[in-house]
Amino acid sequence: MKVVKAENLTILYDGQRAVEDVTFELDDGETLLLLGPNGAGKTTLLRTIAAFHREYTGKLEVFGRKPEEAKELISYVPQSHVLNERVPLTALEVVAMGGIYRKGFIHFKIPKEILQKAEEALGFVGLAHVKDKLFRELSGGQKQRVLLARALVSDPKLLLLDEPLSALDPSARVEVANVLGKIKRESGITMIITTHDVNPLIDLGDKVMLLNRRLIAFGTPDEVLQDTIIKSVYGPLAKAVKIEDRLYCIIGDTHIHGGGGR
């Protein structure tokens, strides 16, 4: 069974076609890097797979079901967290929220088993030592790793990450990318990661999708990240370079085509 299967998928947003005629399949344990300029429809596609957005035509299956029927198997980490930092939540409490919401508990009755799983998840992302610190006092990279731990605490089979490295300084990007690598190696969770900069994540990608409202290319990194393909989206200055068998992309984020996607 495919983890995600889309056939001729067209997603409508505010009455407009945000993503058109996308067909692809993702196998268990694979990581898909979803690449494209601003307005390409990356977030819209991710939210549709997560069942937050349901206005589409064509076929979309997650674990052989409609997305809304597979929600218990999916964790979604948005680009911007929506936590009210005026509420004095500790890192451990934020992580536990991932289990609380899934189980339907209210905040002041966190079961011991969920707290234990939250501690284990914090340890997994290398932050056991900050469990009692307030979330708002953490660095940007630490906050992102806490949010990853929160996504993991419910034991998802599919992890959807929207720009997990954005707005982080270089050292924090490395920390978060390392955690994503650990998730891939040790948990085998299928992941879809949207990104503007594919370079820090290229070693994780089994597949790459280049999206610009339409599917431009889908395949292995070597198949997709070629000069002729990326120039068609990012313009003549974009290029792919191999250095000692490692692929790098110089793309920027130029709006070659009109927007409309999200």
Side-chain angles (χ1 to χ4, degrees):
M1 181 185 300
K2 301 294 181 181
V3 174
V4 180
K5 183 175 182 179
E7 294 180 3
N8 307 119
L9 176 66
T10 293
I11 304 171
L12 304 174
Y13 208 106
D14 294 333
Q16 302 295 318
R17 293 187 174 192
V19 176
E20 297 185 65
D21 198 24
V22 170
T23 296
F24 75 100
E25 296 180 350
L26 194 62
D27 289 326
D28 186 40
E30 287 188 321
T31 296
L32 169 63
L33 304 179
L34 180 52
L35 187 64
N38 281 334
K42 303 187 300 295
T43 296
T44 296
L45 177 56
L46 208 66
R47 287 177 56 82
T48 303
I49 294 170
F52 292 121
H53 185 78
R54 302 186 185 184
E55 190 178 358
Y56 64 86
T57 62
K59 182 177 181 180
L60 177 61
E61 292 183 349
V62 181
F63 297 101
R65 304 181 237 170
K66 294 180 179 179
E68 59 268 29
E69 296 171 354
K71 289 184 70 172
E72 76 279 2
L73 302 175
I74 303 169
S75 278
Y76 173 76
V77 181
Q79 182 174 353
S80 301
H81 74 78
V82 292
L83 294 173
N84 183 351
E85 295 195 8
R86 290 177 294 181
V87 179
L89 293 173
T90 66
L92 183 63
E93 288 171 327
V94 170
V95 176
M97 288 167 60
I100 293 167
Y101 292 156
R102 192 61 60 89
K103 297 291 186 180
F105 296 110
I106 55 177
H107 172 65
F108 58 84
K109 291 184 178 179
I110 304 176
K112 288 183 178 179
E113 64 269 19
I114 289 182
L115 284 174
Q116 182 178 345
K117 289 197 70 174
E119 286 200 45
E120 292 171 356
L122 272 176
F124 183 86
V125 302
L127 290 178
H129 61 289
V130 305
K131 69 175 185 177
D132 295 321
K133 286 193 69 172
L134 293 179
F135 180 79
R136 67 188 177 209
E137 296 175 350
L138 302 178
S139 68
Q142 288 175 330
K143 287 179 179 178
Q144 188 65 20
R145 285 190 281 160
V146 167
L147 296 176
L148 286 175
R150 184 178 68 168
L152 294 173
V153 79
S154 60
D155 298 320
K157 303 300 181 185
L158 175 61
L159 185 57
L160 306 176
L161 303 161
D162 195 4
E163 296 284 355
L165 306 185
S166 67
L168 298 179
D169 61 43
S171 63
R173 284 200 294 270
V174 171
E175 291 173 356
V176 173
N178 286 341
V179 170
L180 294 175
K182 185 178 181 182
I183 292 172
K184 181 174 180 61
R185 292 190 309 272
E186 298 185 17
S187 73
I189 296 173
T190 306
M191 293 189 285
I192 303 178
I193 306 172
T194 72
T195 183
H196 282 86
D197 182 5
V198 72
N199 293 316
L201 302 172
I202 193 71
D203 292 334
L204 300 181
D206 300 292
K207 299 288 174 56
V208 173
M209 178 187 295
L210 183 55
L211 187 71
N212 197 11
R213 298 183 63 185
R214 292 180 177 273
L215 182 62
I216 305 301
F218 175 80
T220 66
D222 282 338
E223 290 170 341
V224 173
L225 301 176
Q226 300 183 31
D227 279 1
T228 54
I229 295 174
I230 62 176
K231 285 179 190 295
S232 70
V233 174
Y234 292 101
L237 298 180
K239 65 190 312 182
V241 179
K242 262 201 170 180
I243 302 175
E244 295 181 351
D245 293 328
R246 195 182 194 282
L247 186 63
Y248 294 88
C249 287
I250 304 168
I251 56 177
D253 195 15
T254 307
H255 297 233
I256 301 300
H257 303 284
R262 293 170 64 109

